[in-house]
Amino acid sequence: MGLMRQVLGESFGLFRQVKLSRPLGMRVRNASLVRSKAFVNGIWKGAASGEEFAVINPADGEAIGSVPNMNENDALEAVGAAYDSFLQWQETTAKERSHHLRKWFDVLQKNQDELAKIITAESGKPLKEAAGEVAYGNSFIEWFSEEARRIHGEVIDSPIKSKEMIFIRRPIGVTALITPWNFPIAMITRKAGAALAAGCTCVVKPAEDTPLTALALAALAEESGLPAGVFNVVTSGRDNAPLIGKSFCESPLVAGISFTGSTEVGKLLYKMCAKGVKRLSLELGGNAPFIVFKNADIGKAVQGAIASKFRNCGQTCVSANRLFVEEEMYDEFAGKFKEAMKAQLILGNGGDGVSTMGPLINDAQTKKVDGIVQDAVKKGARILLGGKKASSVGDRFFEPTLIADVDPRMLCYNEEIFGPIAVLIKFKNEEEVLRLANHTKRGLAGYFFSNDIAQIWRVAKKLEVGMVGINEGIISSAEAAFGGIKESGLGREGSHYGIEEFTYIKYLCFGNL
Ligand code: SIN
């Protein structure tokens, strides 16, 4: 106990020795952003057990810091604090909450560069991409500072003269926000911005791989004057994460859970939430079709595919997972796409200012991606580019890979790849591609490139997904309603709909008037 625990890979039976290096705090100008304690009720604190775990830079395997390995009791203490704070926070006016969020946004903006460095260090994404994520992440706090003032009720015409009927919106209460490592800031702000704007308080449980960004967010929340207990962050390693999730689902003080992550974990949370009939918002895995019709602008389609497929090294839920290309255009698209990949994707340590693609997040993910490529080759697919680990760059780097002649028997066709692997599938006509694209349990995002307006409207309506990029590979923004259908999730984040996950409608009936 009290010893620093290296939990990376622990769940796969690996217990790797890590090189200790200069801690990240020494490399970030505003060192107060790099925290080694969790943030509960406005206090920086360790796990009651004293346990910690190391945070690893996936680009070089160096330990860049350590944070508390909290357990379910620590998490429930945070829930209790969030509940006490909720009793006051729900009484604030929309204007007050809006001002609080705006102040948080302002300090987040002031610290953009530092936040980007932290993201690069713990997630491996190149600095420029990390800076883009910070701008994206911060924009949710700005957006919801504005939406806070637009949460309205309704007055309904009563059928009875002596009665008046009103609907008001109320915050649901304490929310537990369980967030992933692929967008260490944006997946927190997209949830927390909406929750706080609605009048809820929250306990954030960031992913084990990227807790430092979450703690930096907490440090800036504190600096901005957000009241204690409104925004809490509990950190834990993989070993404690399942019990923390369970305790959130079972605590009577938690009103709702918002989770972004794998479909498997999402289903578990769904099941566990049934007991307490909790509000649940799930943003789960995708298997996005990316369709190029023969009449498309091929240059735009290639660029759209590069942007969608290789954003964050392919570790994005909305990433193009299956690239369907109409047969007349297949060879030309494959050739141009391969050249664009070679020219634009430079693997390397994200902090070097040159590389455009970083490592995979950890050893388990690297192994999974490697297995997916090998499976495709074994079943007859053709590697057009890459195809193996880029060990000369680092242990967790994978070559940008292009695979042709993929078919539905292959893992890469059915599973969310979450890596820099683009897979090409030839199709004959619109009817066939819609059938193939929709033949999946997932339904998060879909993309297609076409210049035929009638086809655009038909395909946009028929794709079984929650979000569609039409002649566009990047669809995310604070204003957008982000979310899926089928096994890709429940609810919407961002946009004005994001607020709905954190409010309920209360019906007031005034009688004997
Ligand atoms: C995700 O991968 O879940 C998030 C991507 C985005 O917000 O654009």
Side-chain angles (χ1 to χ4, degrees):
M1 292 299 167
L3 289 176
M4 181 184 285
R5 293 182 57 177
Q6 169 49 268
V7 298
L8 189 86
E10 199 175 64
S11 54
F12 298 88
L14 306 170
F15 198 85
R16 289 166 8 95
Q17 200 63 41
V18 290
K19 285 180 275 169
L20 285 177
S21 66
R22 253 184 338 140
L24 178 62
M26 289 170 64
R27 288 176 264 160
V28 171
R29 233 186 359 245
N30 182 355
S32 70
L33 291 190
V34 182
R35 298 291 178 146
S36 54
K37 298 276 185 245
F39 188 63
V40 175
N41 205 17
I43 294 165
W44 294 95
K45 58 187 302 179
S49 66
E51 281 187 42
E52 296 181 337
F53 65 100
V55 184
I56 306 299
N57 180 342
D60 55 19
E62 289 191 353
I64 52 172
S66 63
V67 296
N69 185 13
M70 293 183 136
N71 64 19
E72 65 277 22
N73 296 323
D74 297 303
L76 287 175
E77 189 192 324
V79 166
Y83 186 77
D84 292 342
S85 301
F86 170 66
L87 299 178
Q88 277 111 52
W89 185 248
Q90 66 168 339
E91 298 299 332
T92 53
T93 64
K95 188 170 176 177
E96 284 167 339
R97 291 196 297 279
S98 168
H99 283 181
H100 273 296
L101 285 167
R102 182 73 209 190
K103 282 205 270 177
W104 192 15
F105 170 70
D106 289 342
V107 293
L108 288 167
Q109 286 291 92
K110 235 172 58 198
N111 288 277
Q112 282 182 72
D113 294 348
E114 305 303 288
L115 287 166
K117 282 185 205 159
I118 296 171
I119 290 177
T120 292
E122 65 177 354
S123 78
K125 69 176 69 171
L127 204 49
K128 193 160 166 234
E129 197 171 355
E133 193 204 327
V134 173
Y136 177 47
N138 292 358
S139 75
F140 287 107
I141 302 300
E142 180 185 39
W143 170 258
F144 284 115
S145 77
E146 293 156 357
E147 283 303 297
R149 302 194 64 184
R150 290 191 271 273
I151 304 173
H152 305 304
E154 278 177 74
V155 181
I156 307 299
D157 254 351
S158 161
I160 296 160
K161 278 209 176 100
S162 63
K163 288 184 181 176
E164 289 294 349
M165 299 162 65
I166 293 180
F167 303 157
I168 58 171
R169 277 195 179 270
R170 297 297 299 151
I172 60 172
V174 174
T175 57
L177 313 179
I178 307 177
T179 59
W181 45 262
N182 59 345
F183 290 86
I185 185 167
M187 296 304 97
I188 296 177
T189 53
R190 187 155 73 189
K191 297 176 191 302
L196 269 50
C200 298
T201 56
C202 63
V203 179
V204 179
K205 158 64 185 79
E208 308 72 25
D209 297 295
T210 55
L212 295 177
T213 307
L215 296 175
L217 268 176
L220 292 170
E222 184 183 34
E223 187 183 321
S224 74
L226 207 59
V230 168
F231 180 81
N232 306 276
V233 178
V234 297
T235 55
S236 91
R238 277 176 180 63
D239 51 350
N240 284 338
L243 278 182
I244 290 181
K246 185 166 183 279
S247 70
F248 286 152
C249 294
E250 290 179 355
S251 166
L253 297 185
V254 173
I257 292 181
S258 178
F259 169 72
T260 296
S262 71
T263 300
E264 293 68 32
V265 174
K267 285 181 182 179
L268 275 176
L269 291 169
Y270 203 172
K271 219 178 192 169
M272 289 192 287
C273 279
K275 206 166 160 200
V277 196
K278 301 247 185 282
R279 256 313 173 86
L280 186 61
S281 158
L282 297 173
E283 201 265 273
L284 308 177
N287 183 5
F290 185 107
I291 305 168
V292 184
F293 288 102
K294 62 183 178 210
N295 59 54
D297 177 322
I298 191 162
K300 289 185 182 147
V302 165
Q303 270 321 112
I306 292 274
S308 171
K309 176 69 249 182
F310 296 104
R311 181 175 171 220
N312 194 24
C313 194
Q315 301 171 113
T316 306
C317 302
V318 289
S319 179
N321 213 52
R322 296 167 294 157
L323 283 94
F324 296 100
V325 187
E326 199 153 0
E327 59 186 359
E328 290 86 340
M329 208 194 250
Y330 187 81
D331 291 336
E332 189 186 351
F333 181 87
K336 291 196 165 145
F337 189 46
K338 176 176 159 179
E339 289 316 309
M341 285 173 66
K342 281 185 0 197
Q344 295 178 36
L345 305 174
I346 306 161
L347 272 184
N349 190 319
D352 63 13
V354 181
S355 50
T356 57
M357 208 169 82
L360 292 161
I361 189 71
N362 54 35
D363 293 337
Q365 193 60 24
T366 313
K367 197 171 160 201
K368 183 189 156 202
V369 167
D370 195 31
I372 284 177
V373 173
Q374 287 178 27
D375 168 81
V377 172
K378 221 184 293 157
K379 292 175 181 161
R382 264 187 308 135
I383 301 276
L384 301 183
L385 187 68
K388 58 183 189 316
K389 291 207 280 183
S391 308
S392 60
V393 189
D395 289 349
R396 294 163 209 87
F397 285 86
F398 206 94
E399 293 174 348
T401 295
L402 181 59
I403 311 182
D405 305 343
V406 163
D407 70 45
R409 296 168 304 134
M410 300 172 188
L411 288 175
C412 63
Y413 188 97
N414 299 297
E415 290 202 6
E416 188 177 37
I417 300 170
F418 243 57
I421 318 299
V423 306
L424 297 178
I425 302 134
K426 199 183 282 182
F427 71 89
K428 283 190 178 17
N429 55 42
E430 183 183 309
E431 192 191 340
E432 181 193 25
V433 78
L434 278 170
R435 185 170 40 75
L436 294 172
N438 290 336
H439 187 69
T440 167
K441 289 181 178 168
R442 310 283 173 92
L444 191 57
Y447 308 83
F448 66 94
F449 280 68
S450 167
N451 277 327
D452 173 344
I453 186 68
Q455 178 174 62
I456 287 176
W457 190 236
R458 276 195 309 271
V459 174
K461 284 201 291 186
K462 286 187 182 161
L463 274 180
E464 294 173 1
V465 293
M467 298 172 280
V468 186
I470 302 160
N471 294 326
E472 178 56 65
I474 297 288
I475 55 176
S476 306
S477 93
E479 293 78 1
F482 194 103
I485 59 170
K486 298 181 172 176
E487 293 190 9
S488 286
L490 301 171
R492 291 295 178 267
E493 296 189 336
S495 77
H496 64 92
Y497 292 106
I499 296 271
E500 290 187 5
E501 307 301 321
F502 298 98
T503 59
Y504 67 93
I505 293 167
K506 183 177 273 182
Y507 160 45
L508 309 181
C509 179
F510 296 76
N512 290 301
L513 295 172

